[in-house]
Amino acid sequence: MPSAIDTTEPDALRKLSILAILLAATAILAGARLPLHGPLPQAKPEPAETTSPAPLPDKAEPPAPEDVPAPQPKPDAKEPEAPAQDRPPAPQSEPGKSEASTPAPAEPMQGPPLPPGRLKSPQTPEEEEKPPAEQTLEEQHLTIEPESDAEHAECAAALQALGVVFKETPRIDDGNGCGIDKPIIVSEALPGIKLKPEATIRCPTALALARWIKESVVPAASAALPEQGRITTVNQATSYMCRLRNGAETGRISEHARGNAIDIASFHFEKGDDVAVRSRRGDSTLTGAFQRTVSAAGCLYFTTVLDPESDAAHETHFHLDVIDRKGGYRYCH
């Protein structure tokens, strides 16, 4: 039956063609797959590495990260980088030391070099090496303290009002800071009370002395020693004198050398014996009470009072001075 055969042959051919196409597509797709163990991508080399790296030492492990050189900063774009062969060689560090441990170069020394054997500036005076307690008067380079004309005139007027007998004298300059800018010579501390010998001092010292005698010494003597009458003379041991404290060879300058101090050795009364200044700590008599009273009262007028109980250098007199200390501090012993 020819009609039946003609109908089935084209269908069979079409199916075979489709099957062939599917097989061919399958083969193409299978060939396009990547291998399971293909090669891994290689790391891109650094731009600066133009030559092969130097062989590593015979070690099992690669170098530690801290031994790898840090990347250098990018040079300024305005200045082209010199070729490798024109660059100066990098400084070589010592084995075992990193760049961080290498000390920075010292800054250049300022000024001319010091002479051999000298550790200090040549402008430093030799005497400045010593503390003041070890310096002589010459090494201290002191100057005379100036006095105000107005203050001196005011002080002199106060002395005249108290009846102090004194006279002006020319400026004293004995060198090394010893001297008085406006000295006076006092012959009577108060009316009827002589000062023996005459004392060359500054006006403020004379004013403190006159007020102390008038307001403390005379009343204390009247209360303690009325039978001896009034005080007629105050005997002084030292007024102006160019020296260091306590006559030492080194140390601070004495206030006597500036006219600020006076030493009182004794009081002469109208009747009876003189009352000498000496150690009277254990003296229970009225004479002892008189001396202790005037010594304590001295601190109301002077900024320094040293009596026989202070030290061996003052066991025969009162040291009284008007040194100006910071904060109005006073030293009384």
Side-chain angles (χ1 to χ4, degrees), residues 78 294 298 329:
K78 296 181 181 179
V294 299
Y329 173 74

Side-chain angles (χ1 to χ4, degrees), residues 166-190:
F166 68 97
K167 62 182 178 181
E168 305 278 353
T169 189
R171 185 176 188 268
I172 300 173
D173 187 353
D174 290 332
N176 300 313
C178 291
I180 307 175
D181 190 24
K182 293 177 171 54
I184 62 171
I185 299 176
V186 179
S187 56
E188 287 192 21
L190 284 175

Side-chain angles (χ1 to χ4, degrees), residues 14-296:
R14 186 171 60 245
K15 290 179 180 180
L16 289 175
S17 298
I18 293 172
L19 180 61
I21 292 171
L22 292 174
L23 290 174
T26 303
I28 293 172
L29 291 174
R33 292 180 182 177
L34 293 174
L36 296 177
H37 301 285
L40 296 175
Q42 299 295 324
K44 185 179 179 180
E46 295 292 333
E49 295 179 359
T50 57
T51 59
S52 60
L56 295 174
D58 297 334
K59 291 184 180 180
E61 296 180 1
E66 57 268 19
D67 295 335
V68 179
Q72 300 297 321
K74 183 178 179 181
D76 193 349
K78 296 181 181 179
E79 296 182 4
E81 184 178 358
Q85 62 269 20
D86 296 335
R87 299 175 190 170
Q92 300 295 328
S93 60
E94 296 182 11
K97 291 186 178 180
S98 63
E99 292 182 1
S101 62
T102 304
E107 294 184 0
M109 180 178 64
Q110 300 295 326
L114 296 177
R118 290 293 296 260
L119 299 179
K120 302 187 311 168
S121 171
Q123 287 82 10
T124 303
E126 198 66 34
E127 54 268 18
E128 289 187 4
E129 300 176 10
K130 303 177 184 177
E134 298 179 6
Q135 292 182 6
T136 64
L137 185 60
E138 292 77 11
E139 291 173 337
Q140 297 182 43
H141 303 293
L142 302 173
T143 57
I144 298 174
E145 296 180 358
E147 297 186 61
S148 164
D149 291 338
E151 292 178 358
H152 180 74
E154 182 180 353
C155 178
L159 288 181
Q160 293 172 349
L162 289 170
V164 179
V165 178
F166 68 97
K167 62 182 178 181
E168 305 278 353
T169 189
R171 185 176 188 268
I172 300 173
D173 187 353
D174 290 332
N176 300 313
C178 291
I180 307 175
D181 190 24
K182 293 177 171 54
I184 62 171
I185 299 176
V186 179
S187 56
E188 287 192 21
L190 284 175
I193 302 179
K194 296 186 180 298
L195 187 61
K196 290 187 178 180
E198 294 179 336
T200 301
I201 49 181
R202 289 180 62 232
C203 185
T205 310
L207 185 57
L209 179 67
R211 289 173 173 170
W212 173 62
I213 294 174
K214 179 181 180 179
E215 298 171 8
S216 297
V217 176
V218 170
S222 300
L225 306 169
E227 69 282 359
Q228 293 194 200
R230 65 182 184 88
I231 295 177
T232 59
T233 305
V234 174
N235 298 301
Q236 60 97 5
T238 311
S239 55
Y240 169 77
M241 179 180 288
C242 182
R243 61 173 174 83
L244 297 178
R245 293 181 181 180
N246 298 331
E249 295 182 359
T250 59
R252 297 188 180 277
I253 191 171
S254 171
E255 292 307 304
H256 288 285
R258 297 183 178 275
N260 288 331
I262 189 167
D263 293 342
I264 303 301
S266 65
F267 302 93
H268 179 74
F269 287 79
E270 190 177 21
K271 305 172 185 177
D273 299 329
D274 290 357
V275 174
V277 177
R278 57 182 178 83
S279 178
R280 296 183 185 274
R281 177 178 295 173
D283 187 348
S284 58
T285 66
L286 288 173
T287 301
F290 164 74
Q291 179 177 303
R292 291 191 297 271
T293 299
V294 299
S295 174

Side-chain angles (χ1 to χ4, degrees), residues 1-15:
M1 295 185 288
S3 56
I5 296 172
D6 292 339
T7 304
T8 58
E9 279 186 356
D11 292 338
L13 290 174
R14 186 171 60 245
K15 290 179 180 180

